[in-house]
Amino acid sequence: MPLKLTSQQFTRSRLNRFGFSFGIELSRNSCFEPSRHPVLNSVKMLGGSILWFRHGLRLHDNPALRNAVNDRSMPFFPIFVFDGETAGTKVVGYNRMRYLLEALNDLDNQFRQYGGRLHMIKGKPADVFRRLWEEFGISKVSFEQDCEPIWRDRDESVRATCKEVGVGCYEFVSHTLWDPDTVIRVNGGIPPLTYQMFLHTVAIIGDPPRPVDDVDLGLINFGVLPDSFYKEFEVFDKAPKPEDLGVFLENEDIRMIRWVGGERAALAQMEQRLAVEHETFCKGSYLPTHGSPDLLGPPISLSPALRFGCLSVRKFYWSLQDLFQRVHQGRLSSSQFIAGQLIWREYFYTMSVNNSSYAQMEGNPICLDVPWRQPQADELQRWKEGRTGFPFIDAAMRQLRTEGWLHHAVRNTVASFLTRGTLWLSWEHGLKHFLKYLLDADWSVCAGNWMWVSSSAFEALLDSGECACPVRLGQRLEPSGQYVRRYVPELTNMPDKYIYEPWKAPMEVQQRAGCVLGRDYPPPIVDHLEAAVRNRSAMQELRRILDKAQPHCCPSSEEEIRQFMWLQDVPQPDVATS
Ligand SMILES: Cc1cc2nc3c(=O)[nH]c(=O)nc-3n(C[C@H](O)[C@H](O)[C@H](O)COP(=O)(O)OP(=O)(O)OC[C@H]3O[C@@H](n4cnc5c(N)ncnc54)[C@H](O)[C@@H]3O)c2cc1C
């Protein structure tokens, strides 16, 4: 493998990248008030108010909804526009698309209980809103802030249309705990470079706002789309199926865990999650999904619900804080640590807002130019399809494709396996795959985690040997091997002793288990030990070259690295595959 790191490469990359300073942008929390506009005079003046759903697919803690219905005399149009991008629909697998459509269906059903409906329309948001303005003279469009730069063109085009015709445009921050623009401003115009600096900055800003009150939908005057709309746009009478939008199940459906999208399911899940949190707090602990990862039971994760905004992050955050206070009666101060993972989410969003190259190496000022290899033969495909010959990796990659879900520790393992741990392939390949298949795939959160795990943006480098060994981590997290047996049925009868390293099983054991390597299950794609040693020296070389780098993104401390990567306190040697 050509793993040689040349000093020119890194010096060049440092100069190009770390010389960059983040520009301070004007806040996008805009509020454009309707003015007396000449064109308005020529349209019918029934008035109307649009709530434009993108993320934030909920009724609770929805400041945009409150704003949209504050004048109850106006017809109210809750709308979702299928524009081929919104809510992460550009590259999307079956599971996430279905989750989104279930969330829309849930909103539609909730509105229907009050005589309304969610208008689901295919088209470009600016065109849809312009037509509504022509029909009704709508006077305002309200929406939740989508802070990532990938949404900027879409939002700018809607703002420009609204401005042109004199419609008020109102944007509200409720997808994040703090407004990323405020965090950047308080941090002196650049995003905080470490998580600790981020915590420090938000401590200066103060507690995030509590959720806003629910809206009483009973008194709302729901608008009805004119017939002409049905001719000009594709309007769905009820939430479509993924197949209606050209998204099909790609692989055999061996799903064990079925995630259900929608606000009502998310609120019920949060209650279950709070019961687990309660038990954990009573034991004097916190972060239950980290303390005892359960790869087999029903997941208690809320990340898909948070990603689509079916659950308000502020509601979850404050429910946790209040619960902690109730359990400890003020004897312990909760501060931010009990919601530490939610704050990682904030951190990654904030790092991305002014960096449109955040999800790629090219032109990305916070990402190192690690000279990753080009994929050879079918090795990338084997990683994606779960055919690497490492059972823990293969189980995970198959779970991802079939269910859209992976536990955080498992994500770390497959990510480091693809990048600096074993294969030495670019994190961009992994990101693309995750962005398609993960239920909770979030552009900035996913890219941030990939850069972190691959040491591309936060280069206080770990030794590759500590890079979540694909054998040892499996053995530690799920000693019974049931996780592997669930997703890699070829290994069902492999004895526990060999379940994570079947290459060590003698031939007669393989034959008895009905799983002969090379015939029923692939041999390891690489010699892991050899690769780990080679990668470690490449990373050490990189560290040497970067020794004198200017301040840049990096982990806050060794402790943070260990926690993030699920490493043991005592480093474990890598496992050999031959
Ligand atoms: C390579 C890789 C890619 C990832 N991609 C995504 C992604 O696209 N979307 C996503 O939501 N999470 C992503 N994560 C983070 C993490 O794995 C999931 O958020 C977590 O598994 C969700 O489980 P939970 O709800 O039980 O988390 P908990 O530990 O209970 O945390 C609560 C919430 O905090 C947020 N959170 C937790 N961990 C992280 C983290 N490391 N970074 C940012 N936010 C976090 C999530 O919203 C989560 O629901 C990724 C991690 C890795 C290693």
Side-chain angles (χ1 to χ4, degrees):
M1 291 183 195
L3 293 185
K4 214 159 160 17
L5 300 157
T6 65
S7 56
Q8 292 95 319
Q9 260 164 326
F10 282 105
T11 316
R12 182 170 41 81
S13 105
R14 260 208 334 269
L15 284 175
N16 289 348
R17 287 157 186 235
F18 295 128
F20 173 93
S21 68
F22 288 88
I24 311 173
E25 296 217 343
L26 290 175
S27 165
R28 289 184 311 288
N29 278 328
S30 68
C31 167
F32 172 66
E33 296 283 354
S35 55
R36 293 184 68 80
H37 195 282
V39 192
L40 260 181
N41 300 332
S42 64
V43 297
K44 294 175 224 163
M45 285 298 294
L46 297 174
S49 167
I50 292 174
L51 173 58
W52 180 22
F53 281 105
R54 303 100 64 86
H55 293 108
L57 303 178
R58 62 173 184 274
L59 304 183
H60 72 276
D61 187 26
N62 193 331
L65 168 62
R66 290 181 65 80
N67 183 65
V69 297
N70 62 6
D71 177 352
R72 306 217 161 190
S73 63
M74 272 193 222
F76 168 55
F77 297 91
I79 293 183
F80 183 88
V81 185
F82 290 97
D83 59 0
E85 286 191 46
T86 289
T89 49
K90 194 168 182 177
V91 180
V92 59
Y94 191 86
N95 287 310
R96 191 169 72 252
M97 187 54 123
R98 192 182 50 184
Y99 191 98
L100 165 67
L101 298 175
E102 285 172 352
L104 298 179
N105 187 43
D106 183 54
L107 279 178
D108 188 36
N109 286 335
Q110 294 197 67
F111 284 128
R112 280 178 196 268
Q113 283 174 10
Y114 294 92
R117 58 179 291 187
L118 175 68
H119 302 288
M120 290 169 267
I121 302 168
K122 218 173 179 180
K124 285 208 167 65
D127 296 348
V128 172
F129 301 156
R130 183 186 284 275
R131 279 295 294 121
L132 275 173
W133 170 76
E134 284 165 2
E135 286 290 335
F136 298 100
I138 54 145
S139 59
K140 64 180 179 182
V141 177
S142 311
F143 50 90
E144 179 183 71
Q145 183 198 58
D146 260 351
C147 64
E148 296 162 306
I150 46 174
W151 311 116
R152 200 158 297 162
D153 287 350
R154 176 199 62 187
D155 291 357
E156 285 308 325
S157 124
V158 166
R159 275 198 198 89
T161 302
C162 287
K163 191 166 185 183
E164 190 193 323
V165 296
V167 170
C169 231
Y170 301 85
E171 184 180 66
F172 295 85
V173 176
S174 51
H175 189 66
T176 49
L177 293 169
W178 294 275
D179 180 0
D181 289 326
T182 307
V183 177
I184 292 171
R185 185 172 41 73
V186 172
N187 192 52
I190 56 167
L193 293 179
T194 68
Y195 178 72
Q196 284 304 325
M197 283 167 70
F198 185 88
L199 290 179
H200 177 72
T201 310
V202 295
I204 296 171
I205 298 172
D207 284 342
R210 283 193 175 258
V212 298
D213 290 341
D214 289 351
V215 164
D216 178 1
L217 293 178
L219 302 170
I220 286 175
N221 167 19
F222 284 96
V224 178
L225 292 180
D227 289 345
S228 61
F229 242 75
Y230 290 79
K231 293 187 193 112
E232 286 169 51
F233 299 98
E234 188 173 353
V235 182
F236 296 97
D237 271 335
K238 57 185 177 55
K241 299 270 170 265
E243 291 82 354
D244 300 331
L245 299 165
V247 180
F248 299 92
L249 201 59
E250 285 174 39
N251 43 348
E252 201 190 339
D253 190 2
I254 56 162
R255 248 166 307 160
M256 302 293 158
I257 299 161
R258 164 79 162 84
W259 292 77
V260 178
E263 176 180 26
R264 286 178 292 187
L267 288 170
Q269 271 168 12
M270 188 186 80
E271 290 310 317
Q272 288 164 6
R273 171 65 181 254
L274 289 176
V276 177
E277 297 276 348
H278 182 257
E279 213 178 296
T280 315
F281 290 159
C282 289
K283 288 183 197 148
S285 192
Y286 62 102
L287 291 180
T289 50
H290 284 235
S292 42
D294 178 6
L295 304 190
L296 296 170
I300 52 167
S301 169
L302 296 172
S303 54
L306 291 169
R307 182 249 179 268
F308 283 105
C310 298
L311 176 65
S312 145
V313 67
R314 306 191 295 199
K315 185 169 178 73
F316 183 41
Y317 176 92
W318 280 111
S319 301
L320 276 180
Q321 298 291 348
D322 293 345
L323 180 67
F324 189 90
Q325 289 308 327
R326 273 203 304 282
V327 170
H328 291 292
Q329 300 284 327
R331 287 185 299 270
L332 279 179
S333 108
S334 65
S335 74
Q336 281 152 346
F337 65 88
I338 57 166
Q341 296 308 112
L342 286 179
I343 298 183
W344 275 106
R345 175 178 179 270
E346 299 285 312
Y347 178 49
F348 288 133
Y349 275 132
T350 304
M351 290 302 294
S352 82
V353 284
N354 292 335
N355 180 1
S356 55
S357 302
Y358 184 78
Q360 61 193 44
M361 288 177 68
E362 177 83 33
N364 181 349
I366 64 161
C367 177
L368 288 177
D369 250 342
V370 178
W372 304 111
R373 288 186 313 115
Q374 285 301 317
Q376 303 294 309
D378 64 346
E379 61 180 340
L380 182 58
Q381 207 52 28
R382 283 177 65 178
W383 176 81
K384 288 181 181 172
E385 289 172 4
R387 295 186 290 111
T388 64
F390 288 89
F392 190 48
I393 301 292
D394 293 346
M397 297 310 290
R398 296 186 198 184
Q399 182 185 19
L400 173 62
R401 277 168 73 103
T402 197
E403 288 171 5
W405 174 249
L406 289 181
H407 189 278
H408 181 65
V410 181
R411 297 181 196 202
N412 271 329
T413 316
V414 298
S416 74
F417 185 86
L418 180 76
T419 58
R420 69 193 164 90
T422 309
L423 295 179
W424 200 265
L425 298 177
S426 169
W427 59 272
E428 291 169 315
H429 301 297
L431 174 65
K432 275 194 198 118
H433 190 68
F434 270 33
L435 283 181
K436 177 163 182 189
Y437 289 105
L438 269 182
L439 280 167
D440 59 21
D442 225 340
W443 186 79
S444 47
V445 174
C446 203
N449 275 283
W450 271 99
M451 283 190 273
W452 208 111
V453 176
S454 65
S455 285
S456 293
F458 312 89
E459 93 268 8
L461 300 169
L462 309 173
D463 287 337
S464 302
E466 287 200 58
C467 258
C469 169
V471 174
R472 289 203 192 287
L473 200 77
Q475 288 167 334
R476 182 153 71 90
L477 290 178
E478 212 286 285
S480 77
Q482 284 313 311
Y483 178 69
V484 168
R485 293 190 177 91
R486 180 184 282 182
Y487 297 102
V488 189
E490 304 93 292
L491 292 165
T492 306
N493 297 318
M494 189 58 75
D496 291 359
K497 186 175 171 197
Y498 302 111
I499 190 81
Y500 285 105
E501 28 191 1
W503 55 87
K504 286 192 178 161
M507 183 50 84
E508 64 272 18
V509 174
Q510 294 185 27
Q511 273 164 345
R512 258 202 317 276
C515 182
V516 173
L517 255 66
R519 185 190 73 190
D520 306 300
Y521 183 69
I525 188 168
V526 285
D527 182 319
H528 174 68
L529 187 58
E530 247 180 63
V533 169
R534 203 169 36 225
N535 297 354
R536 189 177 312 152
S537 69
M539 281 297 179
Q540 277 165 358
E541 176 64 2
L542 170 58
R543 187 177 1 205
R544 197 184 59 72
I545 294 166
L546 290 174
D547 234 10
K548 296 190 185 73
Q550 307 171 22
H552 52 270
C553 294
C554 60
S556 318
S557 63
E558 283 296 315
E559 175 59 16
E560 185 179 301
I561 294 169
R562 307 202 82 76
Q563 277 187 7
F564 196 97
M565 292 292 294
W566 290 71
L567 298 174
Q568 282 176 297
D569 291 340
V570 181
Q572 300 289 305
D574 271 285
V575 166
T577 36
S578 54

